Amino acid sequence: LAKTTQPISMDSYEGQEVNITCSHNNIATNDYITWYQQFPSQGPRFIIQGYKTKVTNEVASLFIPADRKSSTLSLPRVSLSDTAVYYCLVGVPRGSYIPTFGRGTSLIVHP
Amino acid sequence: DAGITQSPRHKVTETGTPVTLRCHQTENHRYMYWYRQDPGHGLRLIHYSYGVKDTDKGEVSDGYSVSRSKTEDFLLTLESATSSQTSVYFCAISEGQGADGELFFGEGSRLTVL
């Protein structure tokens, strides 16, 4: 399984763009990159998934460079409600995929 | 929201007693997982199941057993609870094969072992 490295914590302010980078140097050819968000006292929920280049949905964007050894989750104009822990996972989301979560990045958005 | 129900949601028990946590799904998903979450450790996989009666160990399986006799139910048992098993336990489901592997989580079960 590809190991991921993320910052433990980040701080931001309302209205700013937040970029959280995840390093996954030993990503395999078939691996996808998936991000989850977890609010306090809740289970994580899926945010976005990508394989290469850029993926965008109504919540976030995911940027993946050509070498795929890292990825960046971008949250545009964050609000207080974006305060959460964000997890980066790498793997093949098929069959006997074993989703492995690390400690994630704790994002705190300040007024 | 995915139909996942965990029970009990909160439980306080004493060291040495058996405890069973239940995860029930109405999605007919093949894969089910039990995680525990502790401060400073993120989510760690305890056991998972890839079908009825098919289960395997995760990274922190010692002291835990699981059973899946029906597609919709995945039980996590602590044979003899210890204080180190005080944690929040999350169940997750996934369709896995043929899908994007998205995990859907339950609301968690907070277990306190005194």
Side-chain angles (χ1 to χ4, degrees), chain A residues 36 38 41-44 46 49 87 93-99 101-103, chain B residues 31 33 35 37 40 42-43 45 48 90 97-103 105-106:
Chain A
Y36 285 81
Q38 184 180 25
S41 301
Q42 295 184 23
F46 174 95
Q49 184 181 81
Y87 298 93
R94 301 287 188 275
S96 58
Y97 169 50
I98 307 302
F101 290 77
R103 293 178 59 182
Chain B
Y31 295 88
Y33 311 83
Y35 290 88
Q37 185 166 40
L43 283 153
L45 183 66
Y48 65 99
F90 287 99
Q97 188 73 43
D100 61 9
E102 179 178 348
L103 289 170
F105 281 82

Side-chain angles (χ1 to χ4, degrees), chain A:
Chain A
L1 293 175
K3 179 178 170 59
T4 61
T5 303
Q6 308 173 229
I8 295 298
S9 63
M10 295 181 69
D11 289 88
S12 185
Y13 292 89
E14 285 189 292
Q16 291 188 335
E17 178 184 72
V18 172
N19 296 307
I20 305 174
T21 297
C22 178
S23 297
H24 29 80
N25 290 320
N26 61 340
I27 189 170
T29 302
N30 295 329
D31 284 345
Y32 281 69
I33 300 150
T34 310
W35 285 80
Y36 285 81
Q37 174 189 56
Q38 184 180 25
F39 296 117
S41 301
Q42 295 184 23
R45 67 170 188 169
F46 174 95
I47 302 178
I48 197 166
Q49 184 181 81
Y51 182 80
K52 62 180 179 179
T53 63
K54 176 184 176 182
V55 179
T56 297
N57 62 23
E58 65 278 7
V59 176
S61 294
L62 178 59
F63 298 92
I64 306 168
D67 66 6
R68 302 197 334 118
K69 293 184 182 300
S70 67
S71 58
T72 299
L73 176 72
S74 182
L75 305 172
R77 295 188 299 280
V78 294
S79 65
L80 297 178
S81 63
D82 291 314
T83 293
V85 178
Y86 293 83
Y87 298 93
C88 166
L89 280 70
V90 172
V92 181
R94 301 287 188 275
S96 58
Y97 169 50
I98 307 302
T100 301
F101 290 77
R103 293 178 59 182
T105 298
S106 177
L107 172 66
I108 298 176
V109 179
H110 303 276

